[in-house]
Amino acid sequence: MTSTKKAPKLADLLAWLERLRGRGQVVHDDKQHCWHVLGHPEASAVLSDPGAFSSDLSGLVPRQEDFALFEQGTFVRMDPPRHRKLRGLVNQAFTPRVVALLEPRIAQVTNELLDGAGGETRVDLIERLAYPLPVIVIAELLGIPASDRPIFHRWADDLFNQQNIDPEQSLLATATEQMDTVVPTIREMNTYLLQRIRARRADLADDLMSKLILAEVDGEHLADEEIIGFVGLLLLAGHITTTATLGNAILCFEENPEAAAAVRDDPGLLPDTIEEVLRYRTPFSRLARLTTRGVRTGEVDIPAGAVVMPWLAAANRDERVFTEPNRFDVHRTRNPHLAFGHGIHFCIGAPLARLEARVALGIMFQRYADISVAADEPVEEVNPWLMTSVNRLPLDLRPN
C-alpha cells in the first residue's frame, strides 16, 4: 500500500522553526550541516557583516557552465567591492522617487487586468492579477516584451515551485540535486536573455537594459554575458515578491476579517498593512551565507567555512522584537521586519513591490464590496521551505 506524503504548509515550517528556537537563537543542524540563525538581532548581525558572512556560495557545489554564465551579473551572490560597483548600476532605477512615477502605470495595468475578468465573480487572483501585474511593469522597465510572460512564469515555476526541500537532508546534497534539475531552465534563460540583449545593443532605447549596455564599471563596459544575470535577476525577483505579497495579503485578510474591515474603512492603513503581511507571511523564508572566518554570533561560536542560514520568517516572529508575533496586526506601530533582507543586499526592488501591492490592493477594495477565498476550490500553496506564496488563489468577488 502506497502512502502519499502531505504537502507541507506554512504552519508546519513555523512549528519546525519554533522547535529549533527552543534550543537557542543560533543552532547547529547535524542533518542539514548548517547553522540556523533564528533571532532578529542575530540575523540582522549576520546580514550586516559581508566580511564575515559571504554571499558567494559558488564554491560549495561543482561548477556548472550555465549557472556560471548566469551568475556573472547576479550581484546578490557577490561580496564587496564587486557587489557595490554592479549594484550601483541599477540603484538609480529603483529609488523611491523614480518608482513613485510608476504609480499611474501600475494603476492602469491593474484596472485593465481586472476589467479583463468581465463580469466574472470567481477569479484566480494569481492568474488574473498577482502574476501579470508585476511582470508587465518590470518587463516594461527592462525593455523586454511583456507578452512573453508565459515563458517567465514557467521559469519561475521551475526555479521556485517545483523543487523539494527535505529538512532531514544535507543542504549541499539538496543544492546539487536541484542544480541538475534546473540546468535546462537556466540554459533557456541564458539563451533568451542573450538574444534580447544583443538585439537591444543594436537598437538602444530608453529602458534599463539599454542603460546597462551603456554603463561602465572601472572604465569598462559590461559584456553581453555579464548583463544576462542582471536582467534575469531583475526580471524574476522583480515580480515574484509582489506576486507572493498580493496572494499573502488576501490570505491574511481571509483569516483576519476584522483587519480587512479596518483597511476598507481606512485605506490609509494599507502601507502599514502591507508591512505586516510581509512580516507575518514572509515571501522568502531564509537566506544563506558562508563564514569566511570563525565568528561569534548570538553567544555561539561558528567556525570558518560554515553554511549559515538566517531565517527571515523566524526573525520576523521574534518575541523579543515583536509584541504578540503570531498575531496579524495592521495597527502594529513598530515593525522592523527583515522580509526584504538587511544590509548591503537589502532588496533593490522593495520600493516597487510595496507600491505595486498598495496600488493593487487599494483598487481591489474600491472595486469590490467583498473579497473572499472560494470555499469550494483548493488554494495551491508553494512549498514554504522554498517560498511563502500561492500558485492558485480562487476568489469570490462582489462588485460595488
Side-chain angles (χ1 to χ4, degrees):
M1 181 172 156
T2 303
S3 62
T4 56
K5 191 173 182 180
K6 188 178 177 182
K9 302 291 186 182
L10 177 59
D12 300 321
L13 171 62
L14 294 175
W16 181 79
L17 289 172
E18 287 308 312
R19 287 195 297 272
L20 279 180
R21 202 196 301 271
R23 295 167 47 197
Q25 300 293 355
V26 179
V27 298
H28 185 259
D29 189 325
D30 294 329
K31 295 176 180 176
Q32 293 194 30
H33 303 300
C34 69
W35 293 81
H36 298 298
V37 180
L38 308 164
H40 187 285
E42 292 81 5
S44 298
V46 169
L47 299 175
S48 298
D49 189 356
F53 298 94
S54 171
S55 295
D56 182 2
L57 279 67
S58 59
L60 294 177
V61 293
R63 176 182 167 82
Q64 204 284 326
E65 289 188 6
D66 301 285
F67 273 87
L69 175 58
F70 187 80
E71 288 177 349
Q72 285 188 46
T74 308
F75 50 86
V76 295
R77 284 295 175 207
M78 292 181 186
D79 297 323
R82 183 71 172 168
H83 168 270
R84 176 181 54 78
K85 294 174 181 177
L86 292 187
R87 177 168 171 137
L89 295 180
V90 292
N91 266 343
Q92 297 307 309
F94 292 95
T95 63
R97 189 179 76 78
V98 171
V99 167
L101 297 175
L102 295 171
E103 182 166 352
R105 177 58 178 154
I106 294 169
Q108 179 186 9
V109 173
T110 299
N111 280 307
E112 288 174 354
L113 290 170
L114 294 174
D115 287 344
E120 292 181 28
T121 57
R122 169 71 61 87
V123 301
D124 174 14
L125 176 73
I126 308 305
E127 179 183 28
R128 170 53 51 193
L129 178 65
Y131 172 70
L133 168 63
V135 171
I136 290 169
V137 173
I138 195 65
E140 289 179 352
L141 272 176
L142 288 166
I144 291 176
S147 57
D148 285 344
R149 60 182 182 269
I151 300 173
F152 313 148
H153 198 306
R154 178 166 50 78
W155 291 348
D157 191 51
D158 289 345
L159 296 175
F160 296 101
N161 297 340
Q162 300 300 329
Q163 305 304 309
N164 290 314
I165 296 290
D166 185 350
E168 302 294 312
Q169 184 180 18
S170 161
L171 284 175
L172 296 185
T174 300
T176 302
E177 290 174 6
Q178 290 180 354
M179 177 179 285
D180 293 339
T181 302
V182 302
V183 160
T185 301
I186 297 294
R187 185 176 299 137
E188 181 184 350
M189 287 174 58
N190 289 344
T191 300
Y192 174 95
L193 294 172
L194 189 57
Q195 289 174 346
R196 289 293 172 191
I197 293 163
R198 287 173 173 167
R200 178 57 78 228
R201 186 178 289 278
D203 185 20
L204 295 172
D206 184 22
D207 54 43
L208 186 51
M209 193 186 302
S210 298
K211 290 181 173 66
L212 290 171
I213 290 169
L214 295 171
E216 293 185 6
V217 178
D218 294 335
E220 296 182 0
H221 290 289
L222 295 171
D224 290 347
E225 291 76 11
E226 291 178 288
I227 299 174
I228 289 173
F230 264 105
V231 177
L233 173 67
L234 295 173
L235 179 63
L236 290 175
H239 81 263
I240 288 173
T241 301
T242 298
T243 299
T245 301
L246 286 173
N248 289 338
I250 296 300
L251 288 177
C252 287
F253 290 143
E254 181 74 12
E255 296 167 357
N256 303 273
E258 73 288 348
V263 174
R264 190 178 288 280
D265 289 343
D266 180 7
L269 286 173
L270 258 179
D272 286 345
T273 298
I274 290 166
E275 298 307 307
E276 180 68 347
V277 170
L278 289 163
R279 182 197 72 83
Y280 191 78
R281 294 183 67 94
T282 304
F284 287 99
S285 296
R286 64 179 178 178
L287 300 174
R289 297 291 188 265
L290 184 67
T291 53
T292 61
R293 60 177 185 266
V295 60
R296 188 166 181 80
T297 304
E299 307 301 319
V300 174
D301 292 318
I302 303 177
V307 176
V308 176
M309 309 295 292
W311 281 92
L312 308 182
N316 287 344
R317 292 183 182 237
D318 187 341
E319 63 182 7
R320 298 174 299 170
V321 176
F322 302 98
T323 303
E324 296 185 82
N326 295 316
R327 182 167 69 91
F328 182 74
D329 181 7
V330 298
H331 300 287
R332 192 175 293 277
T333 56
R334 182 172 181 270
N335 193 356
H337 68 76
L338 301 179
F340 288 121
H342 187 65
I344 66 169
H345 288 286
F346 183 84
C347 177
I348 199 169
L352 179 58
R354 284 170 163 140
L355 178 62
E356 289 171 334
R358 177 175 64 78
V359 171
L361 290 170
I363 289 174
M364 288 186 71
F365 276 122
Q366 290 169 8
R367 291 176 70 121
Y368 305 112
D370 186 67
I371 303 167
S372 59
V373 176
D376 57 346
E377 287 192 56
V379 173
E380 184 183 322
E381 297 186 37
V382 178
N383 185 334
W385 261 268
L386 287 167
M387 191 174 185
T388 302
S389 183
V390 288
N391 286 330
R392 190 168 183 276
L393 185 57
L395 299 181
D396 287 325
L397 305 173
R398 181 162 58 87
N400 276 315

